[in-house]
Amino acid sequence: RSLVRIASAAICTFAIGATSAFAADAVKLRISTPAVESDWHAKMLTVFKDELAKTAPGEFDVEIHLNASLFKQGTEPAAMQRGNLDMAMISAQDIAKQIPAWSVFTAGYLIRDPEHQKKVFNSDIGKKFYQMVADDMNIEILDVGYLGTRELNLANDKKITTPDDLKGVKLRMPGSDAWLFLGNALGADATPLAFGEVYTGLQTGTIDGQDNPLPTVKAVKFYEVTKQIVLTDHLVDAVFLSMAKNTYDDLSADQQKKVKDAAAVATAYNNKMRIEDEKSLIDFFKKEGLSIYAPDVAAFRTKVQNAYLESEFAKDWPEGIVEQINAVK
Ligand code: KDO
């Protein structure tokens, strides 16, 4: 009898041990982003986490760090490369710092709309460019998400119609060459500032304006400290939900599939919500007292496209890439 008792106690201990060992074995996925909680791409990370909890219960421990609380904006790729971070939503501008060919996706007025964006990255073009990131940066892109179409958002109400009207306007851009080039190409004086400092910068007047997609202007409440939105539509922007390749390569084939599937569910959610929001937000901003201007988009497009084609960036673009991107229908 006592032997049976000892045996069952041992089984019990083994069972408890097995359960806790399983939990400790869950793959920790720490994600860092500058996004604020109410923005769609932050919510998309919760969708990713919830989806994995459903499809691979107990296998992943997803930790989401918002507001750049873990890593500064733009330092996420290096953090993943050093093995300090598992996941992030990186930008083409981040990637272009290490892979110059990627600067083609930082060019204003190239990607036409969210559907074109999705098609381009799902095509052979996307495959080739994702492979460069895997090979040269040791980062696996899981999927592309639509960050929105960037518009100008200025603190004063001096009407902006053409690039000339932006002369001398201190336009905040995220801090990298590719971003600053875009701000200057629009006709403004581009000023680098981290995302988390933009609200105060607008409030105190250290900057005259910023550019972001409308859902972000709402989520961060930039409308409280600005007076106008200029619908330039200058960049159909993307975020690439990515994983350190070392983390990705350590997963089983089944886990890799589940991670990619969860990323697809998450980006689909983000894209749907963001596109819906972009349609309805103009009224919201009008009610908040902002002027909404429809500028001479053709004038902005011509100036910006010429600036890119004549730029140093374009020298690093693969032969014929602009035509190939334009041809994706
Ligand atoms: C921004 O700093 O304006 C930007 O929109 C740039 C994007 O690449 C991305 O980093 C985004 O901020 C953050 O995710 C915050 O929304």
Side-chain angles (χ1 to χ4, degrees), residues 33-36 39 41 73-74 76 89-94 147 150 172-175 179 193-196 198 210-213 216 220 222 237-239 274:
T33 175
V36 298
D39 212 342
H41 57 314
Q73 181 180 33
E76 302 92 342
M89 293 184 284
I90 60 179
S91 64
Q93 291 78 3
D94 293 333
L147 186 67
R150 296 181 85 93
R172 173 272 168 179
M173 301 299 289
W179 280 116
L193 198 64
F195 184 73
V198 176
Q210 65 95 27
D211 85 309
N212 253 295
T216 300
V220 193
F222 289 146
D237 207 359
V239 279
R274 210 173 267 286

PDB file of all heavy atoms in Angstrom, residues 33-36 39 41 73-74 76 89-94 147 150 172-175 179 193-196 198 210-213 216 220 222 237-239 274, ligand 1:
ATOM      1  N   THR A  33       7.378  48.671 -29.532  1.00  0.00           N
ATOM      2  CA  THR A  33       6.882  49.612 -30.535  1.00  0.00           C
ATOM      3  C   THR A  33       6.660  50.988 -29.912  1.00  0.00           C
ATOM      4  O   THR A  33       6.319  51.074 -28.730  1.00  0.00           O
ATOM      5  CB  THR A  33       5.540  49.119 -31.148  1.00  0.00           C
ATOM      6  OG1 THR A  33       5.049  50.136 -32.040  1.00  0.00           O
ATOM      7  CG2 THR A  33       4.488  48.856 -30.085  1.00  0.00           C
ATOM      8  N   PRO A  34       6.823  52.056 -30.722  1.00  0.00           N
ATOM      9  CA  PRO A  34       6.485  53.394 -30.220  1.00  0.00           C
ATOM     10  C   PRO A  34       4.966  53.658 -30.237  1.00  0.00           C
ATOM     11  O   PRO A  34       4.518  54.686 -29.739  1.00  0.00           O
ATOM     12  CB  PRO A  34       7.171  54.340 -31.201  1.00  0.00           C
ATOM     13  CG  PRO A  34       7.796  53.508 -32.248  1.00  0.00           C
ATOM     14  CD  PRO A  34       7.412  52.093 -32.068  1.00  0.00           C
ATOM     15  N   ALA A  35       4.189  52.751 -30.810  1.00  0.00           N
ATOM     16  CA  ALA A  35       2.747  52.984 -30.982  1.00  0.00           C
ATOM     17  C   ALA A  35       2.036  53.193 -29.641  1.00  0.00           C
ATOM     18  O   ALA A  35       2.427  52.615 -28.631  1.00  0.00           O
ATOM     19  CB  ALA A  35       2.117  51.801 -31.720  1.00  0.00           C
ATOM     20  N   VAL A  36       0.990  54.031 -29.666  1.00  0.00           N
ATOM     21  CA  VAL A  36       0.176  54.252 -28.463  1.00  0.00           C
ATOM     22  C   VAL A  36      -0.967  53.234 -28.442  1.00  0.00           C
ATOM     23  O   VAL A  36      -1.401  52.747 -29.493  1.00  0.00           O
ATOM     24  CB  VAL A  36      -0.392  55.690 -28.389  1.00  0.00           C
ATOM     25  CG1 VAL A  36       0.740  56.708 -28.315  1.00  0.00           C
ATOM     26  CG2 VAL A  36      -1.321  56.001 -29.573  1.00  0.00           C
ATOM     27  N   ASP A  39      -3.980  53.147 -30.926  1.00  0.00           N
ATOM     28  CA  ASP A  39      -3.779  53.116 -32.382  1.00  0.00           C
ATOM     29  C   ASP A  39      -3.922  51.676 -32.888  1.00  0.00           C
ATOM     30  O   ASP A  39      -3.634  50.716 -32.167  1.00  0.00           O
ATOM     31  CB  ASP A  39      -2.403  53.700 -32.738  1.00  0.00           C
ATOM     32  CG  ASP A  39      -2.411  54.408 -34.094  1.00  0.00           C
ATOM     33  OD1 ASP A  39      -3.356  54.156 -34.886  1.00  0.00           O
ATOM     34  OD2 ASP A  39      -1.496  55.198 -34.373  1.00  0.00           O
ATOM     35  N   HIS A  41      -2.345  49.775 -34.974  1.00  0.00           N
ATOM     36  CA  HIS A  41      -1.229  48.819 -35.059  1.00  0.00           C
ATOM     37  C   HIS A  41      -0.806  48.334 -33.676  1.00  0.00           C
ATOM     38  O   HIS A  41      -0.190  47.268 -33.563  1.00  0.00           O
ATOM     39  CB  HIS A  41      -0.062  49.322 -35.918  1.00  0.00           C
ATOM     40  CG  HIS A  41       0.561  50.616 -35.516  1.00  0.00           C
ATOM     41  ND1 HIS A  41      -0.150  51.737 -35.191  1.00  0.00           N
ATOM     42  CD2 HIS A  41       1.872  50.979 -35.407  1.00  0.00           C
ATOM     43  CE1 HIS A  41       0.680  52.721 -34.904  1.00  0.00           C
ATOM     44  NE2 HIS A  41       1.914  52.275 -35.022  1.00  0.00           N
ATOM     45  N   GLN A  73      12.351  54.440 -30.649  1.00  0.00           N
ATOM     46  CA  GLN A  73      11.906  54.328 -32.036  1.00  0.00           C
ATOM     47  C   GLN A  73      13.113  54.259 -32.987  1.00  0.00           C
ATOM     48  O   GLN A  73      14.032  55.073 -32.888  1.00  0.00           O
ATOM     49  CB  GLN A  73      11.057  55.546 -32.404  1.00  0.00           C
ATOM     50  CG  GLN A  73      10.527  55.509 -33.825  1.00  0.00           C
ATOM     51  CD  GLN A  73       9.685  56.736 -34.141  1.00  0.00           C
ATOM     52  OE1 GLN A  73       9.953  57.814 -33.634  1.00  0.00           O
ATOM     53  NE2 GLN A  73       8.677  56.574 -34.962  1.00  0.00           N
ATOM     54  N   GLY A  74      13.088  53.269 -33.862  1.00  0.00           N
ATOM     55  CA  GLY A  74      14.153  53.143 -34.867  1.00  0.00           C
ATOM     56  C   GLY A  74      15.320  52.282 -34.411  1.00  0.00           C
ATOM     57  O   GLY A  74      16.171  51.916 -35.218  1.00  0.00           O
ATOM     58  N   GLU A  76      14.821  49.343 -32.927  1.00  0.00           N
ATOM     59  CA  GLU A  76      14.326  47.962 -32.798  1.00  0.00           C
ATOM     60  C   GLU A  76      15.080  46.966 -33.680  1.00  0.00           C
ATOM     61  O   GLU A  76      15.380  45.859 -33.211  1.00  0.00           O
ATOM     62  CB  GLU A  76      12.818  47.896 -33.091  1.00  0.00           C
ATOM     63  CG  GLU A  76      11.940  48.781 -32.213  1.00  0.00           C
ATOM     64  CD  GLU A  76      11.695  50.152 -32.812  1.00  0.00           C
ATOM     65  OE1 GLU A  76      12.456  50.564 -33.718  1.00  0.00           O
ATOM     66  OE2 GLU A  76      10.743  50.824 -32.387  1.00  0.00           O
ATOM     67  N   MET A  89       7.595  46.151 -35.082  1.00  0.00           N
ATOM     68  CA  MET A  89       6.966  46.543 -36.354  1.00  0.00           C
ATOM     69  C   MET A  89       7.911  47.555 -36.969  1.00  0.00           C
ATOM     70  O   MET A  89       7.950  48.705 -36.546  1.00  0.00           O
ATOM     71  CB  MET A  89       5.606  47.176 -36.082  1.00  0.00           C
ATOM     72  CG  MET A  89       4.616  46.191 -35.519  1.00  0.00           C
ATOM     73  SD  MET A  89       2.990  46.924 -35.308  1.00  0.00           S
ATOM     74  CE  MET A  89       3.237  47.913 -33.852  1.00  0.00           C
ATOM     75  N   ILE A  90       8.720  47.106 -37.917  1.00  0.00           N
ATOM     76  CA  ILE A  90       9.752  47.999 -38.437  1.00  0.00           C
ATOM     77  C   ILE A  90       9.267  48.678 -39.716  1.00  0.00           C
ATOM     78  O   ILE A  90       8.338  48.219 -40.372  1.00  0.00           O
ATOM     79  CB  ILE A  90      11.098  47.263 -38.641  1.00  0.00           C
ATOM     80  CG1 ILE A  90      10.981  46.102 -39.641  1.00  0.00           C
ATOM     81  CG2 ILE A  90      11.606  46.741 -37.297  1.00  0.00           C
ATOM     82  CD1 ILE A  90      12.310  45.380 -39.880  1.00  0.00           C
ATOM     83  N   SER A  91       9.914  49.796 -40.037  1.00  0.00           N
ATOM     84  CA  SER A  91       9.497  50.574 -41.211  1.00  0.00           C
ATOM     85  C   SER A  91      10.496  50.366 -42.347  1.00  0.00           C
ATOM     86  O   SER A  91      11.638  49.948 -42.123  1.00  0.00           O
ATOM     87  CB  SER A  91       9.444  52.061 -40.842  1.00  0.00           C
ATOM     88  OG  SER A  91      10.741  52.515 -40.500  1.00  0.00           O
ATOM     89  N   ALA A  92      10.070  50.722 -43.551  1.00  0.00           N
ATOM     90  CA  ALA A  92      10.985  50.666 -44.701  1.00  0.00           C
ATOM     91  C   ALA A  92      12.169  51.605 -44.451  1.00  0.00           C
ATOM     92  O   ALA A  92      13.296  51.322 -44.873  1.00  0.00           O
ATOM     93  CB  ALA A  92      10.250  51.067 -45.969  1.00  0.00           C
ATOM     94  N   GLN A  93      11.886  52.710 -43.726  1.00  0.00           N
ATOM     95  CA  GLN A  93      12.954  53.678 -43.440  1.00  0.00           C
ATOM     96  C   GLN A  93      14.003  53.059 -42.516  1.00  0.00           C
ATOM     97  O   GLN A  93      15.196  53.301 -42.669  1.00  0.00           O
ATOM     98  CB  GLN A  93      12.345  54.933 -42.793  1.00  0.00           C
ATOM     99  CG  GLN A  93      11.488  55.783 -43.720  1.00  0.00           C
ATOM    100  CD  GLN A  93      10.085  55.214 -43.954  1.00  0.00           C
ATOM    101  OE1 GLN A  93       9.689  54.201 -43.389  1.00  0.00           O
ATOM    102  NE2 GLN A  93       9.325  55.881 -44.786  1.00  0.00           N
ATOM    103  N   ASP A  94      13.546  52.243 -41.545  1.00  0.00           N
ATOM    104  CA  ASP A  94      14.483  51.532 -40.658  1.00  0.00           C
ATOM    105  C   ASP A  94      15.351  50.574 -41.482  1.00  0.00           C
ATOM    106  O   ASP A  94      16.559  50.480 -41.288  1.00  0.00           O
ATOM    107  CB  ASP A  94      13.737  50.651 -39.637  1.00  0.00           C
ATOM    108  CG  ASP A  94      12.943  51.448 -38.618  1.00  0.00           C
ATOM    109  OD1 ASP A  94      13.335  52.593 -38.342  1.00  0.00           O
ATOM    110  OD2 ASP A  94      11.937  50.914 -38.100  1.00  0.00           O
ATOM    111  N   LEU A 147       0.064  51.168 -42.405  1.00  0.00           N
ATOM    112  CA  LEU A 147       0.095  52.149 -41.305  1.00  0.00           C
ATOM    113  C   LEU A 147      -0.829  53.322 -41.593  1.00  0.00           C
ATOM    114  O   LEU A 147      -1.213  54.062 -40.702  1.00  0.00           O
ATOM    115  CB  LEU A 147       1.528  52.653 -41.063  1.00  0.00           C
ATOM    116  CG  LEU A 147       1.690  53.558 -39.841  1.00  0.00           C
ATOM    117  CD1 LEU A 147       1.456  52.778 -38.550  1.00  0.00           C
ATOM    118  CD2 LEU A 147       3.049  54.221 -39.808  1.00  0.00           C
ATOM    119  N   ARG A 150      -0.050  59.033 -45.176  1.00  0.00           N
ATOM    120  CA  ARG A 150       0.423  60.175 -44.378  1.00  0.00           C
ATOM    121  C   ARG A 150      -0.067  61.503 -44.957  1.00  0.00           C
ATOM    122  O   ARG A 150      -0.068  61.714 -46.178  1.00  0.00           O
ATOM    123  CB  ARG A 150       1.955  60.142 -44.280  1.00  0.00           C
ATOM    124  CG  ARG A 150       2.449  58.909 -43.536  1.00  0.00           C
ATOM    125  CD  ARG A 150       3.949  58.878 -43.416  1.00  0.00           C
ATOM    126  NE  ARG A 150       4.428  59.643 -42.276  1.00  0.00           N
ATOM    127  CZ  ARG A 150       4.667  59.107 -41.065  1.00  0.00           C
ATOM    128  NH1 ARG A 150       4.445  57.833 -40.829  1.00  0.00           N
ATOM    129  NH2 ARG A 150       5.113  59.881 -40.088  1.00  0.00           N
ATOM    130  N   ARG A 172       8.168  68.297 -38.495  1.00  0.00           N
ATOM    131  CA  ARG A 172       8.782  67.169 -37.782  1.00  0.00           C
ATOM    132  C   ARG A 172       8.693  65.893 -38.613  1.00  0.00           C
ATOM    133  O   ARG A 172       7.640  65.588 -39.170  1.00  0.00           O
ATOM    134  CB  ARG A 172       8.068  66.948 -36.449  1.00  0.00           C
ATOM    135  CG  ARG A 172       8.533  65.687 -35.706  1.00  0.00           C
ATOM    136  CD  ARG A 172       7.757  64.440 -36.120  1.00  0.00           C
ATOM    137  NE  ARG A 172       8.394  63.227 -35.626  1.00  0.00           N
ATOM    138  CZ  ARG A 172       7.921  61.995 -35.816  1.00  0.00           C
ATOM    139  NH1 ARG A 172       6.822  61.809 -36.513  1.00  0.00           N
ATOM    140  NH2 ARG A 172       8.549  60.943 -35.353  1.00  0.00           N
ATOM    141  N   MET A 173       9.832  65.205 -38.706  1.00  0.00           N
ATOM    142  CA  MET A 173       9.855  63.871 -39.309  1.00  0.00           C
ATOM    143  C   MET A 173      10.576  62.939 -38.325  1.00  0.00           C
ATOM    144  O   MET A 173      11.364  63.400 -37.504  1.00  0.00           O
ATOM    145  CB  MET A 173      10.620  63.884 -40.641  1.00  0.00           C
ATOM    146  CG  MET A 173      10.078  64.825 -41.716  1.00  0.00           C
ATOM    147  SD  MET A 173       8.388  64.503 -42.277  1.00  0.00           S
ATOM    148  CE  MET A 173       8.551  63.003 -43.219  1.00  0.00           C
ATOM    149  N   PRO A 174      10.321  61.615 -38.410  1.00  0.00           N
ATOM    150  CA  PRO A 174      11.112  60.699 -37.585  1.00  0.00           C
ATOM    151  C   PRO A 174      12.589  60.853 -37.968  1.00  0.00           C
ATOM    152  O   PRO A 174      12.910  61.272 -39.082  1.00  0.00           O
ATOM    153  CB  PRO A 174      10.580  59.315 -37.967  1.00  0.00           C
ATOM    154  CG  PRO A 174       9.237  59.573 -38.580  1.00  0.00           C
ATOM    155  CD  PRO A 174       9.335  60.913 -39.242  1.00  0.00           C
ATOM    156  N   GLY A 175      13.455  60.485 -37.034  1.00  0.00           N
ATOM    157  CA  GLY A 175      14.880  60.789 -37.225  1.00  0.00           C
ATOM    158  C   GLY A 175      15.674  59.830 -38.076  1.00  0.00           C
ATOM    159  O   GLY A 175      16.384  58.999 -37.541  1.00  0.00           O
ATOM    160  N   TRP A 179      13.519  59.642 -43.910  1.00  0.00           N
ATOM    161  CA  TRP A 179      12.357  60.436 -43.485  1.00  0.00           C
ATOM    162  C   TRP A 179      12.598  61.924 -43.739  1.00  0.00           C
ATOM    163  O   TRP A 179      11.711  62.643 -44.217  1.00  0.00           O
ATOM    164  CB  TRP A 179      12.092  60.230 -41.993  1.00  0.00           C
ATOM    165  CG  TRP A 179      11.356  58.984 -41.635  1.00  0.00           C
ATOM    166  CD1 TRP A 179      11.835  57.950 -40.884  1.00  0.00           C
ATOM    167  CD2 TRP A 179       9.997  58.642 -41.971  1.00  0.00           C
ATOM    168  NE1 TRP A 179      10.860  56.995 -40.730  1.00  0.00           N
ATOM    169  CE2 TRP A 179       9.723  57.386 -41.384  1.00  0.00           C
ATOM    170  CE3 TRP A 179       8.990  59.272 -42.702  1.00  0.00           C
ATOM    171  CZ2 TRP A 179       8.500  56.744 -41.503  1.00  0.00           C
ATOM    172  CZ3 TRP A 179       7.762  58.634 -42.828  1.00  0.00           C
ATOM    173  CH2 TRP A 179       7.526  57.391 -42.243  1.00  0.00           C
ATOM    174  N   LEU A 193      12.582  64.377 -34.884  1.00  0.00           N
ATOM    175  CA  LEU A 193      12.092  64.301 -33.499  1.00  0.00           C
ATOM    176  C   LEU A 193      11.457  62.925 -33.309  1.00  0.00           C
ATOM    177  O   LEU A 193      10.772  62.431 -34.206  1.00  0.00           O
ATOM    178  CB  LEU A 193      11.031  65.397 -33.287  1.00  0.00           C
ATOM    179  CG  LEU A 193      10.680  65.792 -31.851  1.00  0.00           C
ATOM    180  CD1 LEU A 193      11.880  66.408 -31.138  1.00  0.00           C
ATOM    181  CD2 LEU A 193       9.519  66.791 -31.849  1.00  0.00           C
ATOM    182  N   ALA A 194      11.681  62.344 -32.128  1.00  0.00           N
ATOM    183  CA  ALA A 194      11.071  61.036 -31.858  1.00  0.00           C
ATOM    184  C   ALA A 194       9.565  61.193 -31.711  1.00  0.00           C
ATOM    185  O   ALA A 194       9.074  62.239 -31.271  1.00  0.00           O
ATOM    186  CB  ALA A 194      11.663  60.436 -30.590  1.00  0.00           C
ATOM    187  N   PHE A 195       8.855  60.142 -32.082  1.00  0.00           N
ATOM    188  CA  PHE A 195       7.389  60.158 -32.090  1.00  0.00           C
ATOM    189  C   PHE A 195       6.815  60.613 -30.742  1.00  0.00           C
ATOM    190  O   PHE A 195       5.888  61.424 -30.686  1.00  0.00           O
ATOM    191  CB  PHE A 195       6.899  58.742 -32.442  1.00  0.00           C
ATOM    192  CG  PHE A 195       5.420  58.622 -32.572  1.00  0.00           C
ATOM    193  CD1 PHE A 195       4.752  59.155 -33.664  1.00  0.00           C
ATOM    194  CD2 PHE A 195       4.681  57.960 -31.605  1.00  0.00           C
ATOM    195  CE1 PHE A 195       3.377  59.032 -33.788  1.00  0.00           C
ATOM    196  CE2 PHE A 195       3.306  57.828 -31.721  1.00  0.00           C
ATOM    197  CZ  PHE A 195       2.659  58.365 -32.812  1.00  0.00           C
ATOM    198  N   GLY A 196       7.389  60.106 -29.669  1.00  0.00           N
ATOM    199  CA  GLY A 196       6.869  60.399 -28.327  1.00  0.00           C
ATOM    200  C   GLY A 196       7.009  61.861 -27.910  1.00  0.00           C
ATOM    201  O   GLY A 196       6.421  62.283 -26.920  1.00  0.00           O
ATOM    202  N   VAL A 198       6.453  64.458 -30.129  1.00  0.00           N
ATOM    203  CA  VAL A 198       5.806  65.315 -31.123  1.00  0.00           C
ATOM    204  C   VAL A 198       4.686  66.166 -30.519  1.00  0.00           C
ATOM    205  O   VAL A 198       4.573  67.358 -30.809  1.00  0.00           O
ATOM    206  CB  VAL A 198       5.279  64.458 -32.310  1.00  0.00           C
ATOM    207  CG1 VAL A 198       4.527  65.326 -33.304  1.00  0.00           C
ATOM    208  CG2 VAL A 198       6.444  63.754 -33.002  1.00  0.00           C
ATOM    209  N   GLN A 210       3.616  68.250 -38.250  1.00  0.00           N
ATOM    210  CA  GLN A 210       4.087  66.863 -38.324  1.00  0.00           C
ATOM    211  C   GLN A 210       3.291  66.181 -39.428  1.00  0.00           C
ATOM    212  O   GLN A 210       2.302  66.724 -39.926  1.00  0.00           O
ATOM    213  CB  GLN A 210       3.892  66.169 -36.972  1.00  0.00           C
ATOM    214  CG  GLN A 210       2.448  65.989 -36.517  1.00  0.00           C
ATOM    215  CD  GLN A 210       1.864  64.641 -36.875  1.00  0.00           C
ATOM    216  OE1 GLN A 210       2.580  63.653 -37.016  1.00  0.00           O
ATOM    217  NE2 GLN A 210       0.543  64.590 -37.053  1.00  0.00           N
ATOM    218  N   ASP A 211       3.725  64.988 -39.820  1.00  0.00           N
ATOM    219  CA  ASP A 211       2.934  64.213 -40.784  1.00  0.00           C
ATOM    220  C   ASP A 211       2.686  62.827 -40.222  1.00  0.00           C
ATOM    221  O   ASP A 211       3.584  62.219 -39.637  1.00  0.00           O
ATOM    222  CB  ASP A 211       3.648  64.128 -42.139  1.00  0.00           C
ATOM    223  CG  ASP A 211       4.647  62.989 -42.207  1.00  0.00           C
ATOM    224  OD1 ASP A 211       5.493  62.901 -41.286  1.00  0.00           O
ATOM    225  OD2 ASP A 211       4.581  62.179 -43.144  1.00  0.00           O
ATOM    226  N   ASN A 212       1.465  62.363 -40.348  1.00  0.00           N
ATOM    227  CA  ASN A 212       1.112  60.996 -39.946  1.00  0.00           C
ATOM    228  C   ASN A 212      -0.233  60.652 -40.573  1.00  0.00           C
ATOM    229  O   ASN A 212      -0.969  61.534 -41.007  1.00  0.00           O
ATOM    230  CB  ASN A 212       1.038  60.870 -38.411  1.00  0.00           C
ATOM    231  CG  ASN A 212       2.213  60.098 -37.841  1.00  0.00           C
ATOM    232  OD1 ASN A 212       2.394  58.914 -38.091  1.00  0.00           O
ATOM    233  ND2 ASN A 212       3.061  60.800 -37.077  1.00  0.00           N
ATOM    234  N   PRO A 213      -0.565  59.366 -40.605  1.00  0.00           N
ATOM    235  CA  PRO A 213      -1.901  58.984 -41.070  1.00  0.00           C
ATOM    236  C   PRO A 213      -2.970  59.485 -40.087  1.00  0.00           C
ATOM    237  O   PRO A 213      -2.706  59.619 -38.883  1.00  0.00           O
ATOM    238  CB  PRO A 213      -1.836  57.454 -41.077  1.00  0.00           C
ATOM    239  CG  PRO A 213      -0.370  57.122 -41.114  1.00  0.00           C
ATOM    240  CD  PRO A 213       0.297  58.205 -40.351  1.00  0.00           C
ATOM    241  N   THR A 216      -3.646  57.936 -36.631  1.00  0.00           N
ATOM    242  CA  THR A 216      -2.620  58.251 -35.626  1.00  0.00           C
ATOM    243  C   THR A 216      -2.804  59.667 -35.086  1.00  0.00           C
ATOM    244  O   THR A 216      -2.641  59.908 -33.889  1.00  0.00           O
ATOM    245  CB  THR A 216      -1.213  58.055 -36.237  1.00  0.00           C
ATOM    246  OG1 THR A 216      -1.092  56.694 -36.644  1.00  0.00           O
ATOM    247  CG2 THR A 216      -0.107  58.386 -35.248  1.00  0.00           C
ATOM    248  N   VAL A 220      -3.189  59.851 -31.020  1.00  0.00           N
ATOM    249  CA  VAL A 220      -2.229  60.572 -30.179  1.00  0.00           C
ATOM    250  C   VAL A 220      -2.771  61.950 -29.797  1.00  0.00           C
ATOM    251  O   VAL A 220      -2.115  62.723 -29.095  1.00  0.00           O
ATOM    252  CB  VAL A 220      -0.858  60.682 -30.885  1.00  0.00           C
ATOM    253  CG1 VAL A 220       0.231  61.143 -29.940  1.00  0.00           C
ATOM    254  CG2 VAL A 220      -0.433  59.340 -31.460  1.00  0.00           C
ATOM    255  N   PHE A 222      -3.128  64.582 -31.648  1.00  0.00           N
ATOM    256  CA  PHE A 222      -2.413  65.727 -32.230  1.00  0.00           C
ATOM    257  C   PHE A 222      -3.406  66.837 -32.602  1.00  0.00           C
ATOM    258  O   PHE A 222      -3.022  67.998 -32.686  1.00  0.00           O
ATOM    259  CB  PHE A 222      -1.632  65.302 -33.496  1.00  0.00           C
ATOM    260  CG  PHE A 222      -0.427  64.433 -33.232  1.00  0.00           C
ATOM    261  CD1 PHE A 222      -0.053  63.447 -34.137  1.00  0.00           C
ATOM    262  CD2 PHE A 222       0.358  64.622 -32.098  1.00  0.00           C
ATOM    263  CE1 PHE A 222       1.075  62.651 -33.917  1.00  0.00           C
ATOM    264  CE2 PHE A 222       1.479  63.835 -31.864  1.00  0.00           C
ATOM    265  CZ  PHE A 222       1.833  62.845 -32.768  1.00  0.00           C
ATOM    266  N   ASP A 237       1.869  54.420 -46.183  1.00  0.00           N
ATOM    267  CA  ASP A 237       2.926  53.918 -45.296  1.00  0.00           C
ATOM    268  C   ASP A 237       2.663  52.487 -44.828  1.00  0.00           C
ATOM    269  O   ASP A 237       1.511  52.035 -44.754  1.00  0.00           O
ATOM    270  CB  ASP A 237       3.032  54.868 -44.093  1.00  0.00           C
ATOM    271  CG  ASP A 237       4.418  54.875 -43.478  1.00  0.00           C
ATOM    272  OD1 ASP A 237       5.287  54.151 -43.963  1.00  0.00           O
ATOM    273  OD2 ASP A 237       4.614  55.626 -42.498  1.00  0.00           O
ATOM    274  N   ALA A 238       3.765  51.825 -44.484  1.00  0.00           N
ATOM    275  CA  ALA A 238       3.679  50.413 -44.084  1.00  0.00           C
ATOM    276  C   ALA A 238       4.440  50.169 -42.792  1.00  0.00           C
ATOM    277  O   ALA A 238       5.395  50.887 -42.477  1.00  0.00           O
ATOM    278  CB  ALA A 238       4.295  49.540 -45.186  1.00  0.00           C
ATOM    279  N   VAL A 239       4.006  49.170 -42.032  1.00  0.00           N
ATOM    280  CA  VAL A 239       4.854  48.626 -40.961  1.00  0.00           C
ATOM    281  C   VAL A 239       5.009  47.134 -41.229  1.00  0.00           C
ATOM    282  O   VAL A 239       4.058  46.477 -41.674  1.00  0.00           O
ATOM    283  CB  VAL A 239       4.266  48.841 -39.541  1.00  0.00           C
ATOM    284  CG1 VAL A 239       4.555  50.238 -39.037  1.00  0.00           C
ATOM    285  CG2 VAL A 239       2.800  48.499 -39.456  1.00  0.00           C
ATOM    286  N   ARG A 274      -8.219  50.420 -39.986  1.00  0.00           N
ATOM    287  CA  ARG A 274      -7.559  51.669 -40.361  1.00  0.00           C
ATOM    288  C   ARG A 274      -8.189  52.282 -41.621  1.00  0.00           C
ATOM    289  O   ARG A 274      -8.408  53.491 -41.687  1.00  0.00           O
ATOM    290  CB  ARG A 274      -6.078  51.376 -40.614  1.00  0.00           C
ATOM    291  CG  ARG A 274      -5.173  52.488 -40.323  1.00  0.00           C
ATOM    292  CD  ARG A 274      -3.753  52.026 -40.449  1.00  0.00           C
ATOM    293  NE  ARG A 274      -3.211  51.588 -39.184  1.00  0.00           N
ATOM    294  CZ  ARG A 274      -2.861  52.407 -38.198  1.00  0.00           C
ATOM    295  NH1 ARG A 274      -3.021  53.698 -38.311  1.00  0.00           N
ATOM    296  NH2 ARG A 274      -2.345  51.934 -37.086  1.00  0.00           N
TER     297      ARG A 274
HETATM  298  C1  KDO B   1       6.190  58.489 -36.803  1.00  0.00           C
HETATM  299  O1  KDO B   1       7.113  58.572 -35.988  1.00  0.00           O
HETATM  300  O2  KDO B   1       5.676  59.473 -37.324  1.00  0.00           O
HETATM  301  C2  KDO B   1       5.710  57.088 -37.194  1.00  0.00           C
HETATM  302  O3  KDO B   1       4.467  57.210 -37.889  1.00  0.00           O
HETATM  303  C3  KDO B   1       6.752  56.418 -38.083  1.00  0.00           C
HETATM  304  C4  KDO B   1       6.414  54.940 -38.293  1.00  0.00           C
HETATM  305  O4  KDO B   1       7.423  54.288 -39.006  1.00  0.00           O
HETATM  306  C5  KDO B   1       6.174  54.243 -36.960  1.00  0.00           C
HETATM  307  O5  KDO B   1       7.389  54.157 -36.230  1.00  0.00           O
HETATM  308  C6  KDO B   1       5.132  54.995 -36.146  1.00  0.00           C
HETATM  309  O6  KDO B   1       5.513  56.364 -35.992  1.00  0.00           O
HETATM  310  C7  KDO B   1       4.975  54.432 -34.734  1.00  0.00           C
HETATM  311  O7  KDO B   1       4.583  53.086 -34.791  1.00  0.00           O
HETATM  312  C8  KDO B   1       3.954  55.226 -33.910  1.00  0.00           C
HETATM  313  O8  KDO B   1       2.668  55.188 -34.489  1.00  0.00           O
END
